[in-house]
Amino acid sequence: MMKRKSNVHGRMRESSNNPTSSSSIPIEEEIEWEMRPGGMLVQKRTENAGVSAPDIRLRVAYGAVRYEISVNSQATFGEVKKRLTAETGLQVGEQRVIFKGKERENGEYLDMCGVKDRSKVILMEDPASIERRFIEMRRNAKIQSAHRAINDVSMELDKLADQASAIEKSISNGVKVPEVQITTLIEMLMRQAIKLDDIAAEGDALALKNLQGKRVQKCVETLDTLKISNARVKPVIVTTKWETFDSSPAMAQWEIFD
């Protein structure tokens, strides 16, 4: 419990030596503070047992949007902010509540500040929160852009990897592949590697980028090996043997009639 001492004038203070002493004699008043369940430190108030404070309606202006919420008349502005979190999506630390031209602290009580039924308060988002959200939005946009770019490269690598597999299959079967076909495929893979290098990525996107980079490297190494194997393959010469036939023309004998 925290206590604060203050001098209060104009009150009677009982004294065993001078029971009639009065006025302008300072006395010490202890102010107690209490911790709310949400971790908020507020002034402890004395309430009559069994007496509950009535609820009031608050009109809240948040930009062009208007809200009306019902809260206890003896609630704190911090509790009002918690209610507004569900309405606006803003966390308590991101809210600034203005009443009668003054920003109110979380521990201030509504009734002590003069808030009555259907009073109007103004809700503003903390400028630091706006800046943080803007930075976060830009960061998310960059991540999404990186994911799309890496995805495009991945789809292109799938096609090139299929071509490399077809070349490998042909060479394994002893079929010589034109060297220009292998060289062209390597060049196309290197272009995809350059695209990957130009992508600014972080977090998960960086991991995907590195994964695709390894795919490119593996395909290029495979094609380099296939180029050597392809050079050792002897071309298959196909010769066509033509069958010859002896010419033995059979002259038909035609009978001539007059």
Side-chain angles (χ1 to χ4, degrees):
M1 178 187 301
M2 299 179 62
K3 298 182 179 180
R4 185 181 66 185
K5 295 183 178 181
S6 61
N7 292 330
V8 180
H9 299 277
R11 291 187 178 180
M12 299 288 293
R13 183 176 66 175
E14 293 182 0
S15 173
S16 58
N17 297 328
N18 186 9
T20 60
S21 61
S22 64
S23 81
S24 71
I25 299 177
I27 65 173
E28 293 185 349
E29 183 187 63
E30 292 184 350
I31 297 177
E32 298 181 358
W33 300 81
E34 61 180 355
M35 186 73 70
R36 288 294 177 89
M40 189 182 304
L41 187 65
V42 299
Q43 180 182 346
K44 185 176 182 180
R45 58 194 306 160
T46 57
E47 299 179 356
N48 296 329
V51 179
S52 60
D55 288 345
I56 59 174
R57 291 169 296 174
L58 284 184
R59 294 180 299 157
V60 183
Y62 177 41
V65 184
R66 299 293 181 269
Y67 300 100
E68 186 172 291
I69 61 174
S70 178
V71 295
N72 191 279
S73 60
Q74 294 183 353
T76 63
F77 279 94
E79 292 169 324
V80 171
K81 289 181 180 180
K82 290 180 180 179
R83 290 291 306 275
L84 290 173
T85 296
E87 301 287 344
T88 63
L90 296 177
Q91 299 302 315
V92 173
E94 300 173 341
Q95 300 179 33
R96 296 176 62 184
V97 176
I98 313 297
F99 178 65
K100 291 185 177 180
K102 181 181 177 182
E103 182 179 357
R104 301 297 173 172
E105 301 296 332
N106 292 340
E108 294 184 78
Y109 286 98
L110 299 180
D111 57 341
M112 290 184 174
C113 294
V115 179
K116 302 183 182 301
D117 187 43
R118 296 191 64 77
S119 288
K120 181 180 179 180
V121 298
I122 299 175
L123 173 64
M124 299 175 61
E125 185 175 359
D126 184 68
S129 172
I130 297 176
E131 184 178 358
R132 285 195 301 269
R133 190 171 68 249
F134 177 71
I135 294 174
E136 186 67 20
M137 288 174 61
R138 289 185 59 184
R139 179 176 175 272
N140 290 337
K142 288 182 179 180
I143 292 175
Q144 291 177 2
S145 177
H147 274 285
R148 286 193 296 267
I150 294 172
N151 221 18
D152 293 341
V153 172
S154 176
M155 293 176 64
E156 191 65 27
L157 287 179
D158 289 340
K159 298 176 184 178
L160 298 177
D162 289 341
Q163 296 181 33
S165 297
I167 292 175
E168 184 177 13
K169 184 177 181 181
S170 297
I171 295 175
S172 298
N173 292 333
V175 178
K176 190 176 183 64
V177 177
E179 186 175 346
V180 65
Q181 186 175 349
I182 301 176
T183 304
T184 302
L185 191 54
I186 292 176
E187 291 177 356
M188 295 174 69
L189 286 166
M190 295 309 297
R191 290 195 192 103
Q192 298 305 314
I194 294 173
K195 287 183 180 180
L196 284 173
D197 288 338
D198 292 338
I199 299 174
E202 60 182 24
D204 294 340
L206 181 59
L208 290 174
K209 174 183 173 180
N210 293 335
L211 180 63
Q212 299 306 320
K214 291 179 180 178
R215 285 186 64 192
V216 173
Q217 182 180 358
K218 184 178 179 180
C219 284
V220 171
E221 291 175 352
T222 301
L223 288 172
D224 285 337
T225 304
L226 290 175
K227 186 187 293 186
I228 298 174
S229 301
N230 187 60
R232 296 172 181 170
V233 176
K234 294 182 179 179
V236 178
I237 300 175
V238 180
T239 57
T240 305
K241 184 177 181 180
W242 297 94
E243 186 177 0
T244 57
F245 299 92
D246 295 334
S247 58
S248 54
M251 300 299 296
Q253 298 295 326
W254 297 94
E255 185 178 357
I256 300 174
F257 297 93
D258 293 334

